[in-house]
Amino acid sequence: MAKAQICDLQQHLEVTQNLAKKRKNDSMEPAVVVKKSVCSAASASSKGVSSRPSIGVRSQYGVGLARAIHGTEARSRAVNCAATVAGVIGKKPRVAVTAPSIVQTAAVGSKKRPAWDLKGQLSDMKVQLGNMKTRVCEYTSKLEMSELQSRQLHESMDQRDKQLDAARAHINELQSNLKAVELLLKDREVELAKCQDENTAMQGVLEVRETEIERLTGEVTELKTSRSVLQSNYLTLSTQAENTENKLKMKEMELTQKVTCIEEQQSTIAEQRDMIVERDERLHCAEQERRRLHNTVQELKGNIRVICRVRPLLDSEREGLSEIQNVQFSASDEKVIILTKSEESHTGHDRKDEFKYDFSFDHVFQPIATQKDVFEDISQLVQSALDGYNVCIFAYGQTGSGKTFTMEGPDDMTCDTKGMIPRAVDQIFSTAQELKTMGWTYKFTASFLEIYNETIRDLLVTKPEKNVEYEIKLLNNKSKQLHVTNLKYVTVTMKDQVHNLIAMAKANRSVAKTAANDHSSRSHSVFQLQIEGSNSDRDLQCTSTLSLVDLAGSERLDKSQSKGDRLREAQAINTSLSCLGHVIMSLSSKESHIPYRNSKLTYLLQNNLGGNSKTLMFVNLSPLEENFSESLNSLRFANKVNNCVIGTAQVNRK
Ligand code: ADP
Ligand code: MG
């Protein structure tokens, strides 16, 4: 818009400037032009030379002269000029009216007179002069008119100049505005360029954003899908939550009921607890009473009890024999055993005298008796060990009478055939477990040794070191507890551990057996379990030792036939077994000196054979007739022991 306006104004300015120039030129020459106009018009017509006519001339003669001089083009220009001047002055030119008369006059005067007609020529010239004068007058008046017009024109030109100046000033103003606008425009262009750059950058960003939007749209779609899934899940969960809440309410109600119930029960429990404490106290008293009574029973049974056991015939021994010949049992009395022997009568050959030797013990087990039957009879005694009494159980009898079978069990031992030692261990551990509820805790220490030729050997050591000395020593004088130096004492917490130790001892014994020709039958094996019990609730402690002894074979060897090692063995066995007998007899007859030190066995078992202990002797018998005399010897020895009364056993309690 501004540009277009400026263009218009510039064009207008140009036109105005041209016009002003023309006017200036015209205004500079009017007087001259007027004077010249006649001659110039005349000369122009005669010479045909192009000269710019003045405004005044053109206003009067413009059309005729122009036609004469320049033809159509000049005429149109003259018309335009005349029109312009007329426009400026505001009057119609009158030139066109007067011009023909001048031309006509000139044409009349052009009739040539002869040279000689001077008068004529003079008159003509006078006429012409007169015409000329008229014309001069006319022209003068016209000139005056023109001058007036010229002045008017000048005035109007001044006005125009003023207008022109105003227009120029306006133009200048517009130009400065234009410059400002141009500067603004440049700034805008720069800004535009910047904006375009930014736009390009933004388009790049936009593209990235579009990609991002696309990705996000995808994600949104995915999220929408997962939202709908979640919504459905939420609905399901809401339903579940509602159900759970209902259930919870139900449970809460139940809980409240139960809490009430529990409170009631707690008060009942408190009452019952008091009752339990009371009962515990009563139970404890009862337990003490039981122990006392148990001890009394044991006392009544005698501090040394003897149980006789006759083994069955072995398969290898059954040849021709259907039943045991020389051993009889009483059908009514489990305590009686009768040995019979028929000998040829002194009075005649066809008669045989029958000798009967009957013995009575605490119990006589027939060959059919099982290990379980036998153990039932001694389990009370084993129980005493946990109550704090020293207990010693040993098996006496000739080799092959069933001592090892009774004490340990056979080599192919099963649960049914296991002997007294494993059964005693089982009972000790299970009873200790039961006594835990009454506040008793126990510590068990096991050892297993054998005495051969008055030498101690540790059966829990497979490869004994050379020259290791095992000495029996008093641990301390007060407790009189014995201790074997260098012997392995193993603390055991489970019965299986003890079974493993027993198996190990058995294996170690059988190794020696092959090396020293049935060495086991000529050695005493001693399994000892030291028991330390404590009841922290009642500040009670008890200590005891359970000794289970498999004695060497009691058979008497024919000394005349025995030599060397066999003789020494026999002497050692005899010594230790007769020592055992002597100790028991001395205890029975309450002698001041008990000969414990006479053998390793009695020395080791001194605490288990005194008044402070309970002793049980198995007298094992072979059913074979050939073993009659040994059986009789065994029964006699057992009978002696059985008749002993060795005071009252005392519990080792603090
Ligand atoms: P000991 O130790 O007195 O020398 P054993 O215990 O070795 O005698 O017994 C000798 C044999 O008799 C062994 O084969 C043993 O298995 C068997 N025996 C012993 N007592 C019985 C019994 N009560 N029942 C079955 N077999 C027995
Ligand atoms: Mg044996």
Side-chain angles (χ1 to χ4, degrees), residues 304 577-591 593-595 609 617 636-646:
I304 292 187
L577 287 180
S578 58
C579 265
L580 184 65
H582 286 145
V583 165
I584 293 166
M585 303 308 156
S586 305
L587 284 166
S588 173
S589 55
K590 297 195 171 50
E591 285 177 22
H593 175 72
I594 313 289
L609 295 169
M617 185 177 104
R636 280 176 177 158
F637 178 81
N639 196 43
K640 269 193 206 170
V641 172
N642 198 37
N643 291 332
C644 289
V645 178
I646 315 176

Side-chain angles (χ1 to χ4, degrees), residues 431-443:
T431 311
Q433 192 63 34
E434 283 168 21
L435 287 170
K436 247 188 184 176
T437 55
M438 291 168 74
W440 284 96
T441 52
Y442 288 93
K443 183 190 171 193

Side-chain angles (χ1 to χ4, degrees), residues 45-306:
S45 59
S46 60
K47 290 173 188 173
V49 177
S50 170
S51 68
R52 281 181 68 188
S54 70
I55 294 167
V57 173
R58 262 178 276 159
S59 60
Q60 287 174 343
Y61 312 105
V63 177
L65 285 172
R67 196 179 288 142
I69 299 163
H70 297 291
T72 315
E73 191 186 339
R75 189 184 58 208
S76 68
R77 246 163 51 192
V79 169
N80 283 343
C81 280
T84 309
V85 172
V88 171
I89 295 166
K91 287 179 182 174
K92 275 190 176 177
R94 288 169 291 167
V95 180
V97 183
T98 51
S101 60
I102 299 166
V103 175
Q104 281 173 353
T105 314
V108 172
S110 65
K111 284 179 184 172
K112 268 188 175 178
R113 294 191 187 258
W116 49 273
D117 192 5
L118 288 172
K119 277 187 176 174
Q121 284 179 0
L122 189 61
S123 67
D124 286 345
M125 281 179 84
K126 278 177 182 176
V127 173
Q128 278 180 353
L129 189 64
N131 286 343
M132 284 298 272
K133 274 178 183 174
T134 317
R135 279 184 195 167
V136 165
C137 283
E138 279 177 12
Y139 278 121
T140 305
S141 66
K142 282 179 185 175
L143 191 65
E144 280 168 3
M145 276 277 288
S146 290
E147 275 173 356
L148 185 71
Q149 283 177 348
S150 174
R151 270 197 303 276
Q152 284 174 342
L153 270 170
H154 275 293
E155 279 169 15
S156 106
M157 273 178 68
D158 287 343
Q159 273 181 356
R160 289 279 167 164
D161 281 345
K162 278 176 191 170
Q163 282 178 348
L164 191 65
D165 289 342
R168 270 183 193 141
H170 185 60
I171 284 162
N172 285 338
E173 200 186 322
L174 284 170
Q175 273 177 339
S176 65
N177 283 351
L178 182 68
K179 276 178 187 168
V181 168
E182 274 174 349
L183 284 171
L184 204 66
L185 200 68
K186 272 180 186 170
D187 288 350
R188 290 283 151 86
E189 274 170 0
V190 171
E191 271 177 33
L192 190 71
K194 241 191 235 177
C195 283
Q196 274 171 347
D197 290 348
E198 277 175 18
N199 192 27
T200 317
M202 287 302 282
Q203 267 176 348
V205 173
L206 200 69
E207 274 170 22
V208 174
R209 290 281 152 86
E210 270 171 5
T211 323
E212 183 77 355
I213 284 164
E214 257 175 47
R215 192 181 61 75
L216 287 170
T217 314
E219 275 180 21
V220 166
T221 317
E222 274 175 30
L223 284 169
K224 273 181 186 167
T225 319
S226 55
R227 188 186 61 182
S228 59
V229 172
L230 283 171
Q231 271 174 343
S232 67
N233 283 356
Y234 173 75
L235 283 174
T236 319
L237 285 171
S238 299
T239 323
Q240 281 177 1
E242 243 172 62
N243 292 342
T244 315
E245 218 169 280
N246 290 337
K247 277 182 195 169
L248 198 72
K249 276 180 190 166
M250 294 278 284
K251 293 271 163 176
E252 268 174 3
M253 278 166 65
E254 274 176 34
L255 193 73
T256 319
Q257 285 172 357
K258 277 181 184 168
V259 163
T260 324
C261 191
I262 284 167
E263 277 169 2
E264 284 170 14
Q265 280 175 354
Q266 269 174 342
S267 65
T268 317
I269 285 167
E271 280 170 23
Q272 282 176 351
R273 238 181 231 149
D274 292 344
M275 276 166 67
I276 285 167
V277 170
E278 202 185 303
R279 276 180 197 171
D280 265 0
E281 194 57 42
R282 269 196 257 154
L283 193 69
H284 177 69
C285 293
E287 172 66 13
Q288 296 297 98
E289 185 62 14
R290 183 198 66 76
R291 288 184 182 198
R292 197 183 60 74
L293 290 170
H294 177 70
N295 196 31
T296 313
V297 170
Q298 295 296 310
E299 269 174 42
L300 291 170
K301 282 182 178 175
N303 270 355
I304 292 187
R305 292 172 59 207
V306 179

Side-chain angles (χ1 to χ4, degrees), residues 309 311-312 314 367 369 398-406 410 521 550:
R309 186 180 194 187
R311 74 158 172 82
L314 303 177
Q398 70 173 115
T399 301
S401 60
K403 299 183 296 296
T404 306
F405 183 95
T406 301
S521 65
D550 182 2

